[in-house]
Amino acid sequence: MTHSFTSTVLGSPRIGPNRELKKAVEAYWAGKRDAAALESVAADLRTRNWTELRDAGLDSIPVNTFSYYDHVLDTAAMLGALPERVADIDNPLDRYFAAARGNDIVAPLEMTKWFDTNYHYLVPEISPSTTFSLDASKVLAELDEARALGIQARPVIVGPVTFLLLSKAVGSDAPLLDRVDELLPLYAELLGAVATKGVEWVQLDEPALVADRTADEITVAKRVYDSLSELENRPAILVASYFGSLGDALPALAATGVEGLSVDLVAGTDSLASTPELARKHIVAGVVDGRNIWRTDLESALATLGTLLGSAGSLAVSTSCSLLHVPYTLDAETGIDKALRSWLAFGSEKVREVVVLGTALTHGRESVEDEFALARAAASTRGSDPRLHDENLRARLASIMSSDSVRSSAAVRREAQTALNLPLLPTTTIGSYPQTTQIRVARAALRKGEIDQEEYVSRMRAEIADVVALQEKLDIDVLVHGEPERNDMVQYFAEQLDGFFATANGWVQSYGSRCVRPPILYGDVRRPTPMTLEWITYAQTLTERPVKGMLTGPVTILAWSFVRDDQPLADSANQVALAIREETVDLEAAGVKIIQVDEPALRELLPLRAADQRGYLDWSVGAFRLATSGVADDVQIHTHLCYSEFGEVIEAIAKLDADVTSIEAARSHMEVLDDLNAVGFDLGVGPGVYDIHSPRVPGVDEIAASLREALKAVPVERLWVNPDCGLKTRGPAEVEASLRNLVDAAKLVRSEL
Ligand code: GLN
Ligand code: ZN
């Protein structure tokens, strides 16, 4: 009989409490550190992570959640499924990084969002010629390391169903899940190898089962776990689900012979009581939110656990998902006010909550009563803090929403906007220009107090003047100020809005070595003063041409923040929208005639289940329209979206009703524009004419050819000419060369009209 554990987490952050791994891999990439030095940083981070979890009191510790870049890529490497184009790179670490980031010769794998989080994984490419083979060396080595420390290690591995469902089929249209039988022997071998090392439990992650799945897919999942559980030489299997409800997959998994199942009781609503087979399973109950930063209501979590006792064979307490999605610890946040601090729990605080709940469950709550009292006190101050309920603001919001959040028809606006006097095929950019070294130096100097605000402003103004002069020289029609004052577009607004707290060290991994610091939305949102006005109006004084005001939309601000859990997201979105609306009104009053409200994250927040999508799209479109309907008809509203695979959001894009939409067009322009035409989109559109994610300078003929192609799908009056995203990550020389060609191409095509 397997010993069943009582408290665990589904996974840990891996970048290091001070982003040690980021620094080490970047130094390795730059050739400043060798592989041995990188490996030693990694090993130290793992040791530190496991011992912290053990010392905190967890009795089953996830191992193999470490990654040099991404855990899906690790799984592809483990299964011999790295793309063929990296196969002849001999050094395994360099081969791995080439698949992740590309090199001079090979293109990297595509990257996409990990479910509805802001973490991005690499999408394995599987072709008919992929021959899977097992390389378990990473798992086994980490296991040895952990066991040498006496750690009760539970290897965590992406399960075969999720692996195939998240991969991309190349060179064949057959569903990848058809190839699961090729993977089963490899997983069998892997389970045998870890069992031989004395491992008691293995965790196979199957989050793909919380999205809508066909009956056939669920049948495959059942068959996979029937077959793995019949193996003789294997540890107990925990199938881990997270980010939502298992729905029909729950009884299917419960009917297999696996010993354990983890369920997300924060994001999901599965009822365990209706599945009698669970009475023979070890249920790992995700009651501590692994994705948000709020302190757990221990009382209600314990009550939830209590109700599960009757439905489960045995019960363990856990986070709802891996702690990959939250910062390491509150200890690093010194500048936080006392009340707010008491409402929060980051990674290590969440581990403590799991242990407290595990103790309460197994030994009664007496020994941890103090912690329950602290949680209760925090909940009570949070409930009554005036910053969370600004009645004036709420009344004003309600009144605008009921009377004043629609614009005139598109035709009426178009007429009013002819006063802008733009040429056909107007040229513009998405907002940011290269973040030069001077910009970074100035920002760092301001932070360290080496320069004062006045000096900082004057340096930013100098940057703006350069960018405006460049655009005039290039003869671009609609100018931007270049966004030098923003390092992160969401943080920039969050720092200026009441109701948001910007952390000092709250880093979470976004992808590879890239980390972000999501602000915390804790209260009602108010805009004490204008946020962008000074910069935009300064830029406008430098030129006769129109300068676009540049704002971030409400959905994107929420998508890249930790959000309130005490009210619906829609309500928070409307509050942010009101602040953005106030900014547009101020910009208009200052004479700004074109305002762009970026919503690159509109698709990111889309719920995983189709049944929840309509409601989301309604409120997100509503928030955007609330933000953009405060200005007169002659103000032209632009928006920008960072993708061209519209999928379920295509109708929502049309409903945003922005006068001009710039989008990525990685696929052909015709396809992108045809998709928009199909839903009756008849507003201005700027399908990106070149890919800013690559340093390559596009030629005039190439851009002109794209424009001619686009003109087959949309009338010339609606077409705009722009790159496909902001230019902040590019170098000044390539930006200048690319934009020169863009303007020349627009002129060439105009001359042919
Ligand atoms: N205006 C922003 C920029 O140009 C848009 C960024 C984005 O699309 N993610 O950088
Ligand atoms: Zn973009």
Side-chain angles (χ1 to χ4, degrees), residues 640 642 724-725:
H640 167 68
C642 288
D724 71 355
C725 197

Side-chain angles (χ1 to χ4, degrees), residues 412-733:
V412 170
R413 289 167 1 225
R414 197 171 301 135
E415 187 52 40
Q417 291 162 20
T418 53
L420 285 168
N421 247 323
L422 296 170
L424 286 173
L425 304 178
T427 51
T428 191
T429 55
I430 306 304
S432 57
Y433 270 69
Q435 289 261 324
T436 57
T437 329
Q438 303 99 273
I439 298 179
R440 283 182 232 276
V441 167
R443 200 167 12 249
L446 176 70
R447 199 173 51 234
K448 293 187 206 131
E450 292 162 9
I451 59 171
D452 61 12
Q453 183 66 23
E454 202 181 326
E455 169 65 16
Y456 174 76
V457 169
S458 90
R459 292 196 194 177
M460 292 301 120
R461 287 186 165 214
E463 293 290 333
I464 291 173
D466 285 351
V467 167
V468 169
L470 172 67
Q471 295 171 94
E472 288 211 312
K473 181 176 91 180
L474 292 171
D475 202 14
I476 293 178
D477 301 308
V478 173
L479 309 200
V480 295
H481 77 296
E483 304 178 24
E485 77 287 11
R486 308 179 192 176
N487 59 350
D488 176 279
M489 63 196 250
V490 168
Q491 179 153 8
Y492 178 76
F493 289 98
E495 277 171 359
Q496 302 185 70
L497 289 169
D498 289 349
F500 280 93
F501 175 76
T503 69
N505 201 44
W507 295 101
V508 293
Q509 187 179 20
S510 172
Y511 62 86
S513 69
R514 176 151 170 83
C515 304
V516 293
R517 251 181 321 165
I520 297 171
L521 171 59
Y522 67 91
D524 279 2
V525 179
R526 293 187 41 147
R527 187 194 69 136
T529 53
M531 303 180 284
T532 65
L533 190 64
E534 196 195 324
W535 305 115
I536 308 293
T537 50
Y538 171 67
Q540 189 65 79
T541 62
L542 303 171
T543 176
E544 298 290 309
R545 301 173 189 230
V547 175
K548 260 197 291 199
M550 201 55 60
L551 305 173
T552 300
V555 178
T556 300
I557 289 182
L558 292 187
W560 297 344
S561 300
F562 290 115
V563 293
R564 293 176 73 159
D565 63 350
D566 61 342
Q567 68 182 18
L569 206 48
D571 294 358
S572 299
N574 286 332
Q575 291 188 356
V576 176
L578 180 59
I580 301 298
R581 179 186 174 103
E582 289 169 351
E583 189 75 14
T584 65
V585 170
D586 282 349
L587 287 167
E588 176 184 32
V592 177
K593 291 289 184 205
I594 305 185
I595 301 173
Q596 178 169 312
V597 178
D598 292 325
E599 280 295 19
L602 183 70
R603 198 185 59 175
E604 293 191 19
L605 273 195
L606 190 74
L608 298 175
R609 298 264 188 192
D612 305 325
Q613 290 173 357
R614 156 82 26 178
Y616 160 74
L617 290 171
D618 283 351
W619 70 249
S620 58
V621 167
F624 181 88
R625 294 178 71 141
L626 175 63
T628 52
S629 56
V631 293
D633 294 342
D634 66 341
V635 175
Q636 189 170 64
I637 296 289
H638 289 216
T639 191
H640 167 68
L641 310 165
C642 288
Y643 43 86
S644 66
E645 302 289 344
F646 307 113
E648 298 83 352
V649 304
I650 177 117
E651 286 179 6
I653 292 172
K655 286 191 193 142
L656 294 177
D657 198 29
D659 298 304
V660 180
T661 301
S662 64
I663 45 174
E664 225 176 85
R667 301 180 299 152
S668 84
H669 283 151
M670 291 282 265
E671 267 181 86
V672 167
L673 296 169
D674 284 348
D675 287 353
L676 284 167
N677 286 343
V679 291
F681 183 89
D682 61 357
L683 297 151
V685 59
V689 290
Y690 79 90
D691 174 14
I692 66 94
H693 303 92
S694 137
R696 203 176 71 86
V697 173
V700 175
D701 291 343
E702 181 186 337
I703 300 177
S706 300
L707 291 174
R708 291 186 201 107
E709 193 201 356
L711 283 171
K712 293 183 195 151
V714 294
V716 68
E717 301 74 41
R718 292 212 276 120
L719 191 64
W720 282 67
V721 183
N722 47 257
D724 71 355
C725 197
L727 302 167
K728 69 195 269 186
T729 57
R730 299 266 60 105

Side-chain angles (χ1 to χ4, degrees), residues 205-284:
D205 280 4
E206 292 289 9
L209 298 177
V210 307
D212 289 328
R213 289 295 159 214
T214 63
D216 285 350
E217 288 168 339
I218 291 178
T219 307
V220 171
K222 164 132 180 24
R223 189 162 62 76
V224 163
Y225 287 98
D226 274 336
S227 131
L228 293 179
S229 53
E230 274 155 23
L231 297 167
E232 275 175 19
N233 184 27
R234 66 167 181 90
I237 298 173
L238 167 68
V239 177
S241 70
Y242 40 87
F243 302 148
S245 309
L246 279 166
D248 294 342
L250 179 65
L253 289 170
T256 70
V258 302
E259 286 74 12
L261 213 52
S262 88
V263 282
D264 181 338
L265 297 165
V266 178
T269 53
D270 283 318
S271 148
L272 305 194
S274 49
T275 308
E277 288 93 341
L278 293 176
R280 290 194 301 272
K281 307 286 183 209
H282 185 49
I283 297 297
V284 176

Side-chain angles (χ1 to χ4, degrees), residues 726-742:
L727 302 167
K728 69 195 269 186
T729 57
R730 299 266 60 105
E734 50 183 278
V735 161
E736 179 166 348
S738 300
L739 292 178
R740 173 168 299 119
N741 290 352
L742 178 147

